[in-house]
Amino acid sequence: MVKSRSRGSNFDCVTCIMRKRSDWSVLGRDEVTLLANGQSSFSYGSGEPVYSMGESGDGVYCVCSGTVAIRRLDAEGNSVLLQLAYPGDTLGYEAVLTGEPHRCNAEALGPANVCHIKSLTVKELLDKNPNLGLQFLRRTAASLDDAQDKLVHHATLSNRAKLAHLLLILMDRYGRRTADGTSTLHLPVSRRDLASMIGARHETVSRIIGRFESDGIAYFSGRSVRIPQVNALVEEIRPQLVG
Amino acid sequence: MVKSRSRGSNFDCVTCIMRKRSDWSVLGRDEVTLLANGQSSFSYGSGEPVYSMGESGDGVYCVCSGTVAIRRLDAEGNSVLLQLAYPGDTLGYEAVLTGEPHRCNAEALGPANVCHIKSLTVKELLDKNPNLGLQFLRRTAASLDDAQDKLVHHATLSNRAKLAHLLLILMDRYGRRTADGTSTLHLPVSRRDLASMIGARHETVSRIIGRFESDGIAYFSGRSVRIPQVNALVEEIRPQLVG
DNA sequence: GACACGCATTGACTAACGTCAAATTTTGTT
DNA sequence: AACAAAATTTGACGTTAGTCAATGCGTGTC
Protein backbone atom coordinates (compact mmCIF):
# COMPACT_ATOMS: atom_id res chain seq x y z
CA MET A 1 0.00 0.00 0.00
CA VAL A 2 2.29 2.68 -1.25
CA LYS A 3 0.41 5.87 -1.95
CA SER A 4 2.36 8.56 -3.63
CA ARG A 5 3.49 11.53 -1.61
CA SER A 6 0.91 14.23 -1.63
CA ARG A 7 0.99 17.83 -0.61
CA GLY A 8 -1.15 18.49 2.42
CA SER A 9 -2.41 21.79 3.69
CA ASN A 10 -3.55 20.71 7.14
CA PHE A 11 -0.32 21.50 8.92
CA ASP A 12 0.82 24.93 9.85
CA CYS A 13 3.78 25.64 12.11
CA VAL A 14 2.03 28.51 13.87
CA THR A 15 -0.64 26.25 15.29
CA CYS A 16 1.32 22.97 15.22
CA ILE A 17 1.12 21.20 18.57
CA MET A 18 4.30 19.23 17.89
CA ARG A 19 6.34 22.40 17.54
CA LYS A 20 6.35 23.02 21.28
CA ARG A 21 7.97 19.65 21.82
CA SER A 22 10.47 20.05 19.03
CA ASP A 23 13.73 21.88 18.34
CA TRP A 24 11.67 24.73 16.92
CA SER A 25 10.25 25.53 20.34
CA VAL A 26 13.08 28.03 20.84
CA LEU A 27 11.75 30.30 18.09
CA GLY A 28 10.07 33.62 18.80
CA ARG A 29 6.74 34.68 17.39
CA ASP A 30 7.88 36.26 14.13
CA GLU A 31 10.49 33.55 13.64
CA VAL A 32 7.66 31.02 13.67
CA THR A 33 5.98 33.05 10.96
CA LEU A 34 9.15 32.87 8.91
CA LEU A 35 9.23 29.13 9.52
CA ALA A 36 5.61 28.76 8.44
CA ASN A 37 6.32 30.64 5.22
CA GLY A 38 9.24 28.39 4.26
CA GLN A 39 7.38 25.23 5.00
CA SER A 40 5.23 22.80 3.04
CA SER A 41 3.55 19.75 4.50
CA PHE A 42 3.26 16.35 2.85
CA SER A 43 1.46 13.10 3.47
CA TYR A 44 3.22 9.82 3.00
CA GLY A 45 1.98 6.29 2.65
CA SER A 46 3.57 3.24 4.21
CA GLY A 47 7.03 2.56 2.82
CA GLU A 48 7.28 5.83 0.96
CA PRO A 49 10.62 7.63 1.01
CA VAL A 50 10.87 11.09 2.58
CA TYR A 51 14.39 11.44 1.26
CA SER A 52 17.05 9.05 0.02
CA MET A 53 20.77 8.45 0.33
CA GLY A 54 22.76 10.43 -2.19
CA GLU A 55 20.22 13.17 -2.71
CA SER A 56 21.37 16.64 -1.84
CA GLY A 57 19.73 18.21 1.15
CA ASP A 58 17.33 20.87 -0.06
CA GLY A 59 15.92 21.46 3.40
CA VAL A 60 15.06 19.79 6.67
CA TYR A 61 12.07 17.66 7.55
CA CYS A 62 9.91 17.76 10.62
CA VAL A 63 7.76 14.78 11.55
CA CYS A 64 4.19 15.85 12.42
CA SER A 65 2.58 12.44 12.74
CA GLY A 66 3.53 8.83 12.21
CA THR A 67 6.89 7.12 12.41
CA VAL A 68 9.80 7.62 10.02
CA ALA A 69 12.57 5.02 9.70
CA ILE A 70 16.14 6.18 9.16
CA ARG A 71 18.11 3.56 7.27
CA ARG A 72 21.52 3.18 5.77
CA LEU A 73 22.47 0.77 3.01
CA ASP A 74 25.95 -0.63 2.49
CA ALA A 75 27.65 -1.37 -0.82
CA GLU A 76 26.11 -4.85 -0.99
CA GLY A 77 22.60 -3.57 -0.45
CA ASN A 78 22.22 -4.57 3.20
CA SER A 79 19.80 -2.26 4.91
CA VAL A 80 20.31 -1.29 8.53
CA LEU A 81 17.57 0.50 10.42
CA LEU A 82 19.46 3.02 12.51
CA GLN A 83 16.74 5.06 14.13
CA LEU A 84 13.01 5.60 14.42
CA ALA A 85 11.86 9.21 14.21
CA TYR A 86 8.68 10.39 15.89
CA PRO A 87 6.48 13.47 15.82
CA GLY A 88 8.52 16.51 16.78
CA ASP A 89 11.79 15.07 15.44
CA THR A 90 13.70 17.06 12.87
CA LEU A 91 15.49 15.15 10.12
CA GLY A 92 18.02 15.76 7.43
CA TYR A 93 19.74 18.85 8.81
CA GLU A 94 23.19 17.25 8.53
CA ALA A 95 22.98 17.46 4.75
CA VAL A 96 21.87 21.08 4.89
CA LEU A 97 24.68 22.04 7.24
CA THR A 98 27.50 20.26 5.49
CA GLY A 99 26.33 20.61 1.91
CA GLU A 100 26.96 16.89 1.51
CA PRO A 101 24.30 14.52 0.13
CA HIS A 102 22.06 12.63 2.56
CA ARG A 103 23.83 9.66 4.11
CA CYS A 104 20.63 7.85 5.00
CA ASN A 105 17.22 7.00 3.66
CA ALA A 106 14.19 8.28 5.52
CA GLU A 107 11.00 6.34 4.95
CA ALA A 108 7.49 6.51 6.39
CA LEU A 109 6.62 3.32 8.26
CA GLY A 110 2.93 3.97 8.02
CA PRO A 111 0.69 6.89 7.13
CA ALA A 112 2.69 9.95 8.14
CA ASN A 113 2.70 13.70 7.82
CA VAL A 114 6.05 15.35 7.41
CA CYS A 115 6.77 19.02 6.85
CA HIS A 116 9.58 20.25 4.66
CA ILE A 117 11.41 23.46 5.51
CA LYS A 118 13.56 24.76 2.72
CA SER A 119 17.28 25.32 3.24
CA LEU A 120 17.12 29.07 2.84
CA THR A 121 14.58 29.37 5.63
CA VAL A 122 16.60 27.08 7.89
CA LYS A 123 19.71 29.16 7.33
CA GLU A 124 17.86 32.40 7.98
CA LEU A 125 16.47 31.02 11.21
CA LEU A 126 19.85 29.71 12.34
CA ASP A 127 21.21 33.15 11.65
CA LYS A 128 18.42 35.01 13.44
CA ASN A 129 18.24 32.75 16.48
CA PRO A 130 21.46 31.05 17.64
CA ASN A 131 19.46 28.98 20.12
CA LEU A 132 18.08 26.98 17.22
CA GLY A 133 21.58 25.82 16.34
CA LEU A 134 22.29 24.96 19.95
CA GLN A 135 19.05 23.03 20.06
CA PHE A 136 20.08 21.06 16.98
CA LEU A 137 23.43 20.52 18.63
CA ARG A 138 21.85 19.12 21.79
CA ARG A 139 19.65 16.85 19.72
CA THR A 140 22.54 15.62 17.62
CA ALA A 141 24.64 15.02 20.72
CA ALA A 142 21.79 12.92 22.12
CA SER A 143 21.64 10.91 18.87
CA LEU A 144 25.38 10.39 19.03
CA ASP A 145 25.08 9.19 22.60
CA ASP A 146 22.38 6.80 21.51
CA ALA A 147 24.47 5.48 18.62
CA GLN A 148 27.43 4.96 20.92
CA ASP A 149 25.28 3.04 23.35
CA LYS A 150 24.23 0.82 20.48
CA LEU A 151 27.88 0.28 19.58
CA VAL A 152 28.60 -0.85 23.13
CA HIS A 153 25.64 -3.21 23.02
CA HIS A 154 26.69 -4.63 19.67
CA ALA A 155 30.13 -5.24 21.10
CA THR A 156 29.08 -6.90 24.32
CA LEU A 157 25.62 -8.44 24.10
CA SER A 158 24.34 -11.60 22.43
CA ASN A 159 21.66 -11.29 19.77
CA ARG A 160 19.14 -12.60 22.27
CA ALA A 161 20.02 -9.89 24.77
CA LYS A 162 19.98 -7.24 22.05
CA LEU A 163 16.51 -8.30 20.93
CA ALA A 164 15.26 -8.19 24.52
CA HIS A 165 16.72 -4.72 24.86
CA LEU A 166 15.12 -3.56 21.63
CA LEU A 167 11.73 -4.85 22.71
CA LEU A 168 12.04 -2.88 25.93
CA ILE A 169 12.81 0.28 23.98
CA LEU A 170 9.88 -0.28 21.63
CA MET A 171 7.67 -0.88 24.66
CA ASP A 172 8.17 2.73 25.70
CA ARG A 173 6.46 4.02 22.61
CA TYR A 174 4.33 1.18 21.27
CA GLY A 175 3.63 -0.80 24.43
CA ARG A 176 0.57 -0.92 26.60
CA ARG A 177 0.40 -2.24 30.13
CA THR A 178 -2.80 -4.15 30.80
CA ALA A 179 -4.54 -4.53 34.12
CA ASP A 180 -3.16 -7.95 35.09
CA GLY A 181 0.50 -6.94 34.82
CA THR A 182 1.04 -8.31 31.31
CA SER A 183 2.08 -5.94 28.56
CA THR A 184 1.35 -5.87 24.89
CA LEU A 185 3.28 -4.28 22.10
CA HIS A 186 2.53 -3.57 18.48
CA LEU A 187 5.76 -3.67 16.50
CA PRO A 188 6.20 -0.83 13.99
CA VAL A 189 8.63 -2.83 11.87
CA SER A 190 9.04 -6.17 10.10
CA ARG A 191 11.20 -9.03 11.38
CA ARG A 192 13.81 -8.14 8.81
CA ASP A 193 14.04 -4.62 10.18
CA LEU A 194 14.08 -5.95 13.72
CA ALA A 195 17.01 -8.11 12.66
CA SER A 196 18.90 -5.25 11.06
CA MET A 197 18.41 -3.13 14.17
CA ILE A 198 20.26 -5.68 16.29
CA GLY A 199 22.76 -6.66 13.61
CA ALA A 200 21.48 -10.17 13.05
CA ARG A 201 19.91 -12.22 10.22
CA HIS A 202 16.17 -12.44 10.06
CA GLU A 203 16.30 -16.21 10.46
CA THR A 204 18.18 -15.71 13.71
CA VAL A 205 15.51 -13.33 14.95
CA SER A 206 12.83 -15.90 14.11
CA ARG A 207 14.69 -18.48 16.17
CA ILE A 208 15.20 -16.15 19.12
CA ILE A 209 11.49 -15.36 19.03
CA GLY A 210 10.82 -19.09 19.11
CA ARG A 211 13.01 -19.45 22.18
CA PHE A 212 11.39 -16.46 23.88
CA GLU A 213 8.08 -18.26 23.45
CA SER A 214 9.38 -21.60 24.74
CA ASP A 215 10.83 -19.77 27.74
CA GLY A 216 7.57 -17.94 28.39
CA ILE A 217 9.19 -14.55 28.02
CA ALA A 218 7.27 -13.12 25.07
CA TYR A 219 4.64 -14.38 22.67
CA PHE A 220 4.55 -13.15 19.09
CA SER A 221 1.70 -13.14 16.64
CA GLY A 222 2.42 -11.14 13.56
CA ARG A 223 3.43 -7.75 14.82
CA SER A 224 1.68 -8.17 18.14
CA VAL A 225 3.74 -9.17 21.14
CA ARG A 226 2.49 -10.19 24.55
CA ILE A 227 4.90 -9.94 27.43
CA PRO A 228 3.70 -11.54 30.69
CA GLN A 229 6.41 -9.96 32.81
CA VAL A 230 8.43 -7.06 31.50
CA ASN A 231 11.03 -7.79 34.12
CA ALA A 232 11.85 -11.08 32.45
CA LEU A 233 13.09 -9.09 29.44
CA VAL A 234 15.26 -6.94 31.66
CA GLU A 235 16.83 -10.09 33.07
CA GLU A 236 17.72 -11.20 29.55
CA ILE A 237 19.93 -8.21 28.99
CA ARG A 238 22.62 -8.79 31.55
CA PRO A 239 25.05 -11.49 30.45
CA GLN A 240 24.74 -14.72 32.42
CA LEU A 241 26.24 -14.05 35.81
CA VAL A 242 27.41 -17.34 37.29
CA GLY A 243 26.62 -17.90 40.95
CA MET B 1 54.37 4.70 32.96
CA VAL B 2 51.54 6.77 34.31
CA LYS B 3 52.74 10.21 35.25
CA SER B 4 50.29 12.36 37.08
CA ARG B 5 48.58 15.15 35.20
CA SER B 6 50.57 18.33 35.40
CA ARG B 7 49.75 21.90 34.59
CA GLY B 8 51.69 23.13 31.61
CA SER B 9 52.29 26.68 30.52
CA ASN B 10 53.59 26.05 27.02
CA PHE B 11 50.24 26.28 25.29
CA ASP B 12 48.40 29.46 24.54
CA CYS B 13 45.37 29.67 22.31
CA VAL B 14 46.51 32.92 20.72
CA THR B 15 49.56 31.31 19.20
CA CYS B 16 48.29 27.71 19.08
CA ILE B 17 48.84 26.21 15.64
CA MET B 18 46.13 23.60 16.16
CA ARG B 19 43.49 26.26 16.70
CA LYS B 20 43.33 27.08 13.01
CA ARG B 21 42.44 23.47 12.27
CA SER B 22 39.91 23.21 15.06
CA ASP B 23 36.36 24.29 15.80
CA TRP B 24 37.80 27.43 17.40
CA SER B 25 38.99 28.69 14.04
CA VAL B 26 35.72 30.60 13.65
CA LEU B 27 36.56 32.92 16.52
CA GLY B 28 37.55 36.55 16.00
CA ARG B 29 40.60 38.18 17.48
CA ASP B 30 39.18 39.32 20.82
CA GLU B 31 37.18 36.13 21.15
CA VAL B 32 40.45 34.23 21.00
CA THR B 33 41.71 36.41 23.83
CA LEU B 34 38.66 35.48 25.86
CA LEU B 35 39.33 31.84 25.03
CA ALA B 36 42.95 32.15 26.12
CA ASN B 37 41.89 33.66 29.43
CA GLY B 38 39.48 30.84 30.24
CA GLN B 39 41.96 28.16 29.35
CA SER B 40 44.57 26.11 31.18
CA SER B 41 46.83 23.55 29.57
CA PHE B 42 47.79 20.20 31.03
CA SER B 43 50.23 17.43 30.25
CA TYR B 44 49.14 13.84 30.51
CA GLY B 45 51.07 10.62 30.67
CA SER B 46 50.12 7.38 28.95
CA GLY B 47 46.89 5.96 30.27
CA GLU B 48 45.99 8.99 32.30
CA PRO B 49 42.35 10.08 32.34
CA VAL B 50 41.39 13.48 30.95
CA TYR B 51 37.88 13.05 32.28
CA SER B 52 35.77 10.12 33.37
CA MET B 53 32.25 8.79 33.02
CA GLY B 54 29.92 10.16 35.63
CA GLU B 55 31.87 13.33 36.32
CA SER B 56 30.02 16.53 35.64
CA GLY B 57 31.30 18.58 32.72
CA ASP B 58 33.11 21.59 34.11
CA GLY B 59 34.35 22.65 30.68
CA VAL B 60 35.52 21.38 27.35
CA TYR B 61 38.87 19.93 26.35
CA CYS B 62 40.95 20.64 23.29
CA VAL B 63 43.65 18.22 22.23
CA CYS B 64 46.92 20.03 21.43
CA SER B 65 49.20 17.04 20.95
CA GLY B 66 48.99 13.28 21.28
CA THR B 67 46.03 10.96 20.95
CA VAL B 68 43.09 10.71 23.34
CA ALA B 69 40.91 7.61 23.50
CA ILE B 70 37.17 7.98 24.08
CA ARG B 71 35.80 4.91 25.81
CA ARG B 72 32.56 3.76 27.27
CA LEU B 73 32.13 1.08 29.89
CA ASP B 74 29.00 -1.02 30.32
CA ALA B 75 27.51 -2.26 33.57
CA GLU B 76 29.73 -5.36 33.58
CA GLY B 77 32.92 -3.36 33.12
CA ASN B 78 33.46 -4.09 29.42
CA SER B 79 35.36 -1.25 27.85
CA VAL B 80 34.63 -0.20 24.28
CA LEU B 81 36.93 2.21 22.50
CA LEU B 82 34.57 4.41 20.55
CA GLN B 83 36.80 7.04 19.05
CA LEU B 84 40.35 8.34 18.82
CA ALA B 85 40.73 12.08 19.23
CA TYR B 86 43.61 13.97 17.66
CA PRO B 87 45.16 17.42 17.89
CA GLY B 88 42.53 20.03 17.08
CA ASP B 89 39.64 17.90 18.33
CA THR B 90 37.36 19.32 21.00
CA LEU B 91 36.01 16.93 23.64
CA GLY B 92 33.44 16.87 26.34
CA TYR B 93 31.10 19.60 25.12
CA GLU B 94 28.06 17.31 25.30
CA ALA B 95 28.25 17.36 29.08
CA VAL B 96 28.60 21.15 29.14
CA LEU B 97 25.63 21.64 26.83
CA THR B 98 23.25 19.23 28.46
CA GLY B 99 24.34 19.63 32.06
CA GLU B 100 24.48 15.86 32.27
CA PRO B 101 27.56 13.99 33.52
CA HIS B 102 30.13 12.73 31.02
CA ARG B 103 28.99 9.54 29.28
CA CYS B 104 32.48 8.47 28.31
CA ASN B 105 36.01 8.26 29.61
CA ALA B 106 38.69 10.23 27.84
CA GLU B 107 42.21 8.95 28.34
CA ALA B 108 45.60 9.92 26.93
CA LEU B 109 47.07 7.08 24.88
CA GLY B 110 50.57 8.44 25.18
CA PRO B 111 52.17 11.69 26.24
CA ALA B 112 49.61 14.34 25.40
CA ASN B 113 48.84 17.99 25.92
CA VAL B 114 45.23 18.90 26.39
CA CYS B 115 43.78 22.31 27.18
CA HIS B 116 40.80 22.81 29.39
CA ILE B 117 38.35 25.62 28.71
CA LYS B 118 36.00 26.31 31.57
CA SER B 119 32.23 26.15 31.06
CA LEU B 120 31.65 29.83 31.66
CA THR B 121 34.05 30.78 28.89
CA VAL B 122 32.54 28.25 26.51
CA LYS B 123 29.07 29.62 27.16
CA GLU B 124 30.22 33.21 26.70
CA LEU B 125 31.85 32.29 23.40
CA LEU B 126 28.80 30.38 22.18
CA ASP B 127 26.78 33.44 23.06
CA LYS B 128 29.13 35.92 21.37
CA ASN B 129 29.74 33.91 18.21
CA PRO B 130 26.93 31.64 16.95
CA ASN B 131 29.29 30.18 14.39
CA LEU B 132 31.06 28.33 17.17
CA GLY B 133 27.87 26.44 17.97
CA LEU B 134 27.33 25.66 14.30
CA GLN B 135 30.89 24.43 14.11
CA PHE B 136 30.30 22.12 17.08
CA LEU B 137 27.12 21.00 15.38
CA ARG B 138 28.94 20.12 12.16
CA ARG B 139 31.56 18.23 14.11
CA THR B 140 28.97 16.33 16.13
CA ALA B 141 27.03 15.48 12.99
CA ALA B 142 30.23 14.08 11.50
CA SER B 143 30.79 11.97 14.62
CA LEU B 144 27.23 10.72 14.40
CA ASP B 145 27.76 9.79 10.77
CA ASP B 146 30.90 7.94 11.75
CA ALA B 147 29.13 6.08 14.56
CA GLN B 148 26.32 5.08 12.20
CA ASP B 149 28.81 3.76 9.70
CA LYS B 150 30.30 1.66 12.45
CA LEU B 151 26.84 0.34 13.29
CA VAL B 152 26.37 -0.72 9.68
CA HIS B 153 29.74 -2.43 9.68
CA HIS B 154 29.01 -4.20 12.94
CA ALA B 155 25.75 -5.45 11.46
CA THR B 156 27.12 -6.66 8.15
CA LEU B 157 30.83 -7.47 8.31
CA SER B 158 32.75 -10.37 9.82
CA ASN B 159 35.32 -9.66 12.50
CA ARG B 160 38.03 -10.30 9.96
CA ALA B 161 36.61 -7.70 7.61
CA LYS B 162 36.12 -5.23 10.45
CA LEU B 163 39.73 -5.63 11.54
CA ALA B 164 40.92 -5.07 7.97
CA HIS B 165 38.78 -1.96 7.81
CA LEU B 166 40.10 -0.67 11.10
CA LEU B 167 43.69 -1.18 9.97
CA LEU B 168 42.98 0.86 6.85
CA ILE B 169 41.58 3.68 8.96
CA LEU B 170 44.57 3.62 11.30
CA MET B 171 46.84 3.64 8.25
CA ASP B 172 45.60 7.12 7.40
CA ARG B 173 47.04 8.56 10.57
CA TYR B 174 49.71 6.17 11.77
CA GLY B 175 50.78 4.54 8.54
CA ARG B 176 53.79 5.18 6.38
CA ARG B 177 54.21 4.10 2.80
CA THR B 178 57.75 2.90 2.08
CA ALA B 179 59.54 3.05 -1.24
CA ASP B 180 58.88 -0.54 -2.40
CA GLY B 181 55.11 -0.28 -2.13
CA THR B 182 54.84 -1.91 1.29
CA SER B 183 53.33 0.04 4.13
CA THR B 184 54.06 0.09 7.82
CA LEU B 185 51.83 1.09 10.66
CA HIS B 186 52.45 1.77 14.32
CA LEU B 187 49.32 0.90 16.27
CA PRO B 188 48.31 3.45 18.90
CA VAL B 189 46.36 0.88 20.91
CA SER B 190 46.63 -2.55 22.49
CA ARG B 191 45.10 -5.72 21.05
CA ARG B 192 42.37 -5.53 23.66
CA ASP B 193 41.43 -2.07 22.48
CA LEU B 194 41.65 -3.18 18.88
CA ALA B 195 39.24 -5.97 19.80
CA SER B 196 36.81 -3.64 21.55
CA MET B 197 36.83 -1.32 18.56
CA ILE B 198 35.53 -4.06 16.29
CA GLY B 199 33.31 -5.67 18.89
CA ALA B 200 35.27 -8.88 19.28
CA ARG B 201 37.24 -10.68 22.01
CA HIS B 202 40.96 -10.12 22.16
CA GLU B 203 41.63 -13.81 21.60
CA THR B 204 39.67 -13.57 18.37
CA VAL B 205 41.78 -10.61 17.26
CA SER B 206 44.94 -12.62 17.99
CA ARG B 207 43.68 -15.41 15.80
CA ILE B 208 42.66 -13.12 12.96
CA ILE B 209 46.12 -11.58 13.10
CA GLY B 210 47.56 -15.08 12.85
CA ARG B 211 45.47 -15.73 9.75
CA PHE B 212 46.41 -12.39 8.20
CA GLU B 213 50.03 -13.49 8.56
CA SER B 214 49.43 -16.96 7.09
CA ASP B 215 47.64 -15.32 4.20
CA GLY B 216 50.45 -12.83 3.64
CA ILE B 217 48.16 -9.87 4.17
CA ALA B 218 49.75 -8.22 7.21
CA TYR B 219 52.59 -9.04 9.57
CA PHE B 220 52.43 -7.99 13.21
CA SER B 221 55.24 -7.52 15.67
CA GLY B 222 54.13 -5.87 18.86
CA ARG B 223 52.43 -2.70 17.76
CA SER B 224 54.22 -2.59 14.42
CA VAL B 225 52.39 -3.82 11.36
CA ARG B 226 53.83 -4.40 7.92
CA ILE B 227 51.40 -4.50 5.04
CA PRO B 228 52.88 -5.65 1.71
CA GLN B 229 49.89 -4.55 -0.34
CA VAL B 230 47.32 -2.19 1.11
CA ASN B 231 44.92 -3.32 -1.57
CA ALA B 232 44.81 -6.80 -0.07
CA LEU B 233 43.20 -5.26 3.02
CA VAL B 234 40.62 -3.49 0.91
CA GLU B 235 39.72 -6.83 -0.67
CA GLU B 236 39.10 -8.27 2.79
CA ILE B 237 36.33 -5.82 3.49
CA ARG B 238 33.78 -6.83 0.92
CA PRO B 239 31.97 -10.08 1.85
CA GLN B 240 32.96 -13.09 -0.23
CA LEU B 241 31.35 -12.63 -3.59
CA VAL B 242 30.84 -15.97 -5.20
CA GLY B 243 31.98 -15.96 -8.80
C1' DG C 1 -11.48 -15.63 -5.57
C1' DA C 2 -7.08 -17.02 -7.56
C1' DC C 3 -2.71 -15.68 -7.96
C1' DA C 4 1.82 -13.78 -7.09
C1' DC C 5 4.84 -11.78 -4.21
C1' DG C 6 7.34 -10.76 -0.21
C1' DC C 7 7.77 -12.01 4.51
C1' DA C 8 8.33 -15.44 8.01
C1' DT C 9 9.34 -19.89 9.81
C1' DT C 10 11.78 -24.16 10.14
C1' DG C 11 15.38 -27.63 9.25
C1' DA C 12 20.03 -29.27 8.35
C1' DC C 13 24.44 -28.02 8.18
C1' DT C 14 28.68 -25.24 8.70
C1' DA C 15 31.56 -21.62 9.95
C1' DA C 16 32.64 -18.17 13.05
C1' DC C 17 33.21 -16.77 17.37
C1' DG C 18 33.33 -16.94 22.49
C1' DT C 19 34.97 -19.33 26.77
C1' DC C 20 38.24 -21.27 29.74
C1' DA C 21 42.75 -22.22 30.72
C1' DA C 22 47.64 -22.42 30.26
C1' DA C 23 51.93 -20.90 28.40
C1' DT C 24 54.66 -17.12 26.79
C1' DT C 25 56.04 -12.57 25.92
C1' DT C 26 56.14 -7.85 26.90
C1' DT C 27 56.13 -3.99 29.87
C1' DG C 28 56.77 -1.36 33.83
C1' DT C 29 58.72 -1.05 38.52
C1' DT C 30 61.93 -1.49 42.18
C1' DA D 1 69.07 -6.52 36.56
C1' DA D 2 65.32 -8.80 38.73
C1' DC D 3 60.85 -9.03 39.64
C1' DA D 4 55.83 -8.45 39.23
C1' DA D 5 52.05 -7.43 36.57
C1' DA D 6 49.77 -7.12 32.43
C1' DA D 7 49.15 -8.27 27.73
C1' DT D 8 49.33 -11.62 24.19
C1' DT D 9 49.27 -15.97 22.08
C1' DT D 10 47.77 -20.62 21.60
C1' DG D 11 44.97 -24.79 22.34
C1' DA D 12 40.74 -27.38 23.12
C1' DC D 13 36.10 -27.09 23.28
C1' DG D 14 31.21 -25.56 23.19
C1' DT D 15 27.89 -22.36 21.64
C1' DT D 16 26.02 -19.11 18.75
C1' DA D 17 24.80 -17.44 14.70
C1' DG D 18 25.09 -17.51 9.56
C1' DT D 19 23.99 -20.04 5.12
C1' DC D 20 21.23 -22.49 2.03
C1' DA D 21 16.99 -24.30 1.01
C1' DA D 22 12.22 -25.68 1.42
C1' DT D 23 7.77 -24.65 3.12
C1' DG D 24 4.05 -21.93 5.01
C1' DC D 25 1.61 -17.53 5.76
C1' DG D 26 -0.42 -13.14 4.72
C1' DT D 27 -1.27 -9.17 1.91
C1' DG D 28 -2.28 -6.78 -2.08
C1' DT D 29 -3.39 -7.23 -7.06
C1' DC D 30 -5.84 -8.52 -11.02
Side-chain angles (χ1 to χ4, degrees), chain B residues 23-71:
Chain B
D23 291 337
W24 312 97
S25 62
V26 299
L27 297 184
R29 194 165 295 272
D30 36 340
E31 287 159 1
V32 173
T33 310
L34 183 59
L35 172 63
N37 287 338
Q39 167 266 14
S40 351
S41 86
F42 294 92
S43 295
Y44 296 84
S46 188
E48 216 179 332
V50 177
Y51 58 82
S52 300
M53 279 171 73
E55 291 176 6
S56 67
D58 59 342
V60 304
Y61 298 85
C62 186
V63 183
C64 294
S65 72
T67 303
V68 175
I70 311 297
R71 300 169 191 285

Side-chain angles (χ1 to χ4, degrees), chain B residues 146-181:
Chain B
D146 183 64
Q148 291 180 336
D149 257 352
K150 283 179 190 156
L151 281 172
V152 174
H153 286 145
H154 279 235
T156 59
L157 298 182
S158 67
N159 283 341
R160 177 165 172 148
K162 281 185 276 183
L163 183 57
H165 184 251
L166 177 56
L167 289 174
L168 284 171
I169 289 172
L170 293 174
M171 275 283 298
D172 279 346
R173 190 161 286 262
Y174 301 97
R176 182 162 294 208
R177 187 150 297 154
T178 56
D180 56 341

